[in-house]
Amino acid sequence: MEPKNTDLSTTNNHGDFDIEFINVTKHYGDVVALNDTNLKIPRGSFHSLLGPSGCGKTTSLRLIAGFEQPTSGDVRHRGVSMVGIPAYKRPVNMVFQHYAPFPHLNVEENISYGPRQRSPKPPKQELKKLVGEMLELVRLPGFQNRRIWQLSGGQLQRIVLARALINRPAVLLLDEPLAALDRKLRREMQMELQSLQREVGITFVLVTHDQEEALSMSDTISIMRDGGIVQTGTPSELYDTPVDRYVADFVGESNFFSGIVSAADSAQATIQTKTEISLTAPYPEGGKHLTIGQRGAIAVRPEMVLIWPLTHEQPKDIDFSVKGRITNRIYLGHQAEFRVVTDSLGEILARIPKTAEAVTRDLAPGDEILLGWQWNFGLAMPDA
Amino acid sequence: MRFYALLVYLFLYIPIGIIVLFSFNAGRHASELQGFSIKWFGIALSNPFVMEALKTSLIVAGTTALLSSIMGTMAALGLQNVRGIVRMIFDSLIYIAIMIPGIVFGIATLVALATALDFINPMLKNIWPIILGEAPRLKLGLISIISAHTLWTTALATVIIRARVQGMDRSLIEASIDLYATPWRTFYQVTLPQIFPGILAAALLNFTLSFDDFIIAFFVAGGRTTLPIYVFASIRRGITPEINAIATMMLIVSLTLLFTSQGLLRKRK
Ligand SMILES: Nc1ncnc2c1ncn2[C@@H]1O[C@H](COP(=O)(O)OP(=O)(O)O)[C@@H](O)[C@H]1O
Ligand SMILES: [Mg+2]
């Protein structure tokens, strides 16, 4: 999860961005697949496009690859516009969702396909050596003469990776590359892709609808919705300061308390719930400011919520508490997860780390407890 | 029920069986069996008229198969990007072309070719340079049979090849373009190998159709004699074991090509 490339704001030399979308809009007939989207992907980073099916992820990749042209706006590579340049002239390669290996060619011919299109063609010996190195890189040495139909899903995946990487592209595009693999293999390939990216230093742009996958592999992530990017940031930025409820919901879990904004300034807002409870929280960095009278929500991550027995005194720093009853308790190894039902705020999820177990050790479902959080650990946002 | 099915099959295949049987008849009469022999095959194959007709038929069928599969491939690839009402019109026209009765096709192509020749020949005479001597007079013959057969079989080739084109994974083409292959290189490195079984199947099938065709050839052949036309002409002088042998050989060629073509179409993608 340690971000390698957090420095998005201070770079403004456009050559430092492998990919830039500048007000890109893409229509398919009446369908707006991408709407006035801006995006910057720094050179050498592992960037993910994360969002539900149909939000425009594949369209974004196809615009970078050159299979589609933007209806309006500009797609740039290291500061140079790529609009109008055909796909076969762009220094990017794609790993297709269903891999698309050439079934009439063997593994070696598949991998050497890209270099063989160059003119003049590289000498046979050099090609052989390159293919061998690539198979080494994807850990399938000796697979040169296999036929495509003899390969398993995981092996196919590595072959098409090798087929793309042999060209040393500036950017590698991956469209849900792990979706077809079973769970265990997927974990394995996630780690492998990540270390492969570090090894070759090429910019990876990964499309996925799996938040866990995006969070665990990426340096930076763009969260997409309905043909637009809602927020771009490092995994921890997205987790700690989601700009709205959609992002907070998509990245990790959150407790949401919604109501009408009763007080607001440029730093924080207070929300009055239907049950007449007032909750105050600051805005996330880069989040929208609220105005009095509109609908708003306070998001609180389960890790921020503390619980303690009625007999116990309120922990210091906690400036808000409410009474509730435990309905469920799950051990997650390094932490315990409590589900609590309250009269005034509904169901609340709390995760207590093992290090703070002293207070909660004896709590069990059915017990009446108090719970609360530090006000500035909540986040005020529009109730989308 | 099975008994009736058996009757139907006997009805279908007895005449063909008899022809094959009598082509191996040692005697000269078509009505009594006089022992096994393959001499009639030898006699048929050493008859210069048969060989000439066979040569014509092979040239016609070969050229037809080649031309119709090239045009069928072009049509199938072109139609891929046509949608909506225009596509529906094209599809209907193709199926209609397949269904047109041979005799109608024969008359139509004869009229069309005759009209075209009436138009071209005087023109040719006018523009022909005198030093080259007498202007040639184009007439019905080999080329007109090939034209008619190509017209007739292209629709079928289009349908067969299009099925293969539609079954092909489009992302293979994108993968090739993504890997720096130009559209033309993509065509012969990916598209062509992928749809080739369909093209070959169409070519074999159309070879058979052209090789066996009597009706259309009869209208447009002019003076040329294809094998079916030769057989038809000989039969008027009576059925000989030699004719049976020719029929048997044509049957073997056709069936072999048909089975090969079916095999190609059935093979996994
Ligand atoms: N070739 C196309 N023609 C028409 N609509 C398309 C085409 N490709 C994508 N779309 C539409 O554009 C939207 C975005 O699609 P896509 O980029 O594939 O989403 P994702 O990859 O996030 O699932 C969807 O509504 C989809 O139906
Ligand atoms: Mg997609």
Side-chain angles (χ1 to χ4, degrees):
Chain A
M1 287 265 276
E2 190 54 34
K4 209 173 52 174
N5 217 326
T6 50
D7 201 5
L8 284 173
S9 49
T10 56
T11 13
N12 45 25
N13 179 355
H14 290 288
D16 290 341
F17 295 110
D18 258 340
I19 298 297
E20 271 177 289
F21 277 22
I22 295 160
N23 304 111
V24 173
T25 296
K26 176 66 187 176
H27 294 208
Y28 295 107
D30 296 339
V31 182
V32 183
L34 217 56
N35 186 21
D36 199 24
T37 299
N38 288 287
L39 172 66
K40 285 182 166 143
I41 302 177
R43 206 187 271 202
S45 64
F46 196 129
H47 188 89
S48 291
L49 301 176
L50 173 64
S53 160
C55 69
K57 304 181 299 288
T58 298
T59 301
S60 304
L61 279 199
R62 293 175 62 80
L63 283 163
I64 300 173
F67 299 132
E68 307 288 352
Q69 299 292 341
T71 310
S72 66
D74 201 5
V75 177
R76 293 186 189 162
H77 165 62
R78 295 184 186 163
V80 181
S81 174
M82 292 204 285
V83 174
I85 295 177
Y88 57 88
K89 288 188 181 159
R90 297 193 184 192
V92 300
N93 285 117
M94 183 137 159
V95 171
F96 288 81
Q97 194 160 4
H98 303 291
Y99 309 148
F102 301 121
H104 57 291
L105 304 179
N106 68 15
V107 166
E108 174 156 28
E109 291 159 339
N110 261 279
I111 295 179
S112 63
Y113 192 90
R116 283 191 281 121
Q117 310 309 315
R118 272 188 247 140
S119 67
K121 238 190 254 183
K124 271 215 167 69
Q125 278 315 305
E126 191 181 314
L127 269 183
K128 255 195 156 36
K129 196 171 137 257
L130 260 177
V131 170
E133 283 169 16
M134 282 300 137
L135 283 172
E136 214 62 66
L137 182 72
V138 297
R139 305 220 233 115
L140 288 176
F143 269 58
Q144 276 87 341
N145 295 320
R146 297 282 181 101
R147 305 302 307 194
I148 291 306
W149 62 81
Q150 299 171 320
L151 303 175
S152 70
Q155 291 169 336
L156 265 185
Q157 161 115 74
R158 287 157 207 249
I159 297 302
V160 295
L161 264 172
R163 182 178 74 172
L165 289 173
I166 195 172
N167 305 295
R168 298 254 138 213
V171 182
L172 184 72
L173 309 170
L174 302 117
D175 192 356
E176 311 229 6
L178 308 178
L181 304 181
D182 63 55
R183 225 184 140 68
K184 188 166 165 286
L185 195 56
R186 193 152 69 205
R187 280 300 313 164
E188 212 176 292
M189 282 308 294
Q190 281 174 6
M191 294 198 263
E192 225 165 285
L193 271 180
Q194 204 179 12
S195 60
L196 199 65
Q197 195 265 336
R198 303 251 151 92
E199 205 174 322
V200 295
I202 291 170
T203 304
F204 276 31
V205 182
L206 174 92
V207 155
T208 179
H209 62 258
D210 180 343
Q211 56 123 344
E212 216 182 294
E213 186 168 297
L215 287 176
S216 63
M217 296 167 80
S218 324
D219 298 323
T220 49
I221 302 173
S222 293
I223 310 273
M224 297 188 67
R225 173 178 54 180
D226 297 339
I229 292 173
V230 188
Q231 185 176 4
T232 297
T234 64
S236 60
E237 278 166 3
L238 294 173
Y239 192 84
D240 296 338
T241 57
V243 294
D244 66 11
R245 184 163 177 170
Y246 178 80
V247 177
D249 216 12
F250 216 94
V251 180
E253 273 176 299
S254 265
N255 296 296
F256 291 104
F257 309 106
S258 50
I260 307 292
V261 178
S262 60
D265 60 26
S266 60
Q268 63 195 65
T270 302
I271 279 159
Q272 180 117 35
T273 66
K274 248 195 289 194
T275 48
E276 305 278 303
I277 305 259
S278 280
L279 298 169
T280 305
Y283 304 122
E285 233 178 275
K288 281 206 189 71
H289 292 186
L290 302 177
T291 51
I292 293 173
Q294 85 173 105
R295 287 196 63 81
I298 304 282
V300 184
R301 294 287 185 196
E303 292 83 358
M304 302 304 171
V305 179
L306 286 186
I307 63 178
W308 60 92
L310 296 178
T311 52
H312 209 275
E313 83 184 69
Q314 178 157 329
K316 66 177 166 57
D317 299 334
I318 297 290
D319 23 43
F320 166 81
S321 73
V322 59
K323 209 168 168 181
R325 192 164 38 81
I326 296 172
T327 57
N328 196 9
R329 170 177 186 156
I330 305 168
Y331 285 102
L332 296 171
H334 54 294
Q335 57 188 6
E337 185 178 286
F338 291 89
R339 244 167 235 288
V340 179
V341 173
T342 65
D343 287 338
S344 46
L345 293 174
E347 191 179 75
I348 297 175
L349 195 64
R351 290 208 187 101
I352 311 296
K354 224 180 175 69
T355 48
E357 222 181 28
V359 180
T360 58
R361 184 169 17 230
D362 298 328
L363 294 176
D367 289 355
E368 297 266 321
I369 49 95
L370 281 164
L371 108 183
W373 60 86
Q374 207 176 314
W375 77 276
N376 55 353
F377 284 172
L379 292 170
M381 51 186 62
D383 189 23
Chain B
M1 278 321 285
R2 263 193 220 159
F3 175 70
Y4 293 114
L6 187 70
L7 278 186
V8 171
Y9 275 90
L10 285 177
F11 174 72
L12 278 175
Y13 285 104
I14 278 185
I16 297 170
I18 287 175
I19 286 179
V20 174
L21 186 67
F22 275 88
S23 67
F24 294 103
N25 189 4
R28 133 157 318 274
H29 296 288
S31 49
E32 51 181 307
L33 277 172
Q34 295 175 338
F36 178 85
S37 156
I38 56 164
K39 70 174 177 193
W40 296 109
F41 289 86
I43 290 171
L45 289 175
S46 55
N47 178 340
F49 294 111
V50 172
M51 289 316 283
E52 183 59 30
L54 177 65
K55 201 176 105 192
T56 306
S57 273
L58 287 176
I59 293 172
V60 167
T63 318
T64 298
L66 184 72
L67 291 178
S68 68
S69 47
I70 290 174
M71 296 211 291
T73 305
M74 282 159 56
L77 290 174
L79 279 175
Q80 192 176 199
N81 301 318
V82 179
R83 304 240 177 283
I85 185 89
V86 186
R87 175 63 181 260
M88 261 169 60
I89 294 171
F90 272 109
D91 282 357
S92 321
L93 287 176
I94 284 178
Y95 288 115
I96 291 169
I98 292 174
M99 297 308 294
I100 288 175
I103 190 141
V104 176
F105 213 98
I107 297 167
T109 42
L110 175 63
V111 172
L113 284 167
T115 314
L117 292 179
D118 282 349
F119 180 73
I120 292 167
N121 277 329
M123 233 173 53
L124 203 60
K125 205 166 173 181
N126 284 337
I127 59 167
W128 198 257
I130 293 178
I131 29 169
L132 292 180
E134 184 92 4
R137 260 186 69 80
L138 299 182
K139 52 187 198 308
L140 296 176
L142 197 59
I143 294 186
S144 58
I145 312 176
I146 292 172
S147 320
H149 276 183
T150 304
L151 269 177
W152 173 50
T153 53
T154 294
L156 187 61
T158 307
V159 170
I160 293 172
I161 297 166
R162 196 180 53 186
R164 189 79 199 185
V165 168
Q166 279 168 347
M168 184 182 149
D169 184 1
R170 292 276 302 167
S171 58
L172 291 182
I173 294 177
E174 290 188 340
S176 165
I177 290 181
D178 186 62
L179 293 164
Y180 313 104
T182 58
W184 171 241
R185 292 182 69 104
T186 297
F187 172 73
Y188 73 80
Q189 291 181 130
V190 176
T191 314
L192 203 55
Q194 283 295 307
I195 64 174
F196 192 71
I199 298 176
L200 195 60
L204 294 180
L205 198 63
N206 285 342
F207 185 97
T208 322
L209 286 178
S210 167
F211 191 69
D212 294 349
D213 169 69
F214 168 72
I215 302 176
I216 297 172
F218 187 70
F219 278 93
V220 296
R224 293 300 285 242
T225 305
T226 62
L227 206 51
I229 294 177
Y230 175 83
V231 171
F232 179 75
S234 320
I235 274 176
R236 283 190 291 196
R237 280 175 264 125
I239 297 171
T240 61
E242 186 185 346
I243 292 295
N244 287 337
I246 295 173
T248 302
M249 287 188 283
M250 287 184 76
L251 189 67
I252 291 168
V253 170
S254 298
L255 287 181
T256 311
L257 293 182
L258 274 178
F259 282 125
T260 316
S261 130
Q262 280 306 304
L264 283 167
L265 288 179
R266 199 166 307 151
K267 223 176 110 182
R268 63 181 188 84
K269 301 205 182 85

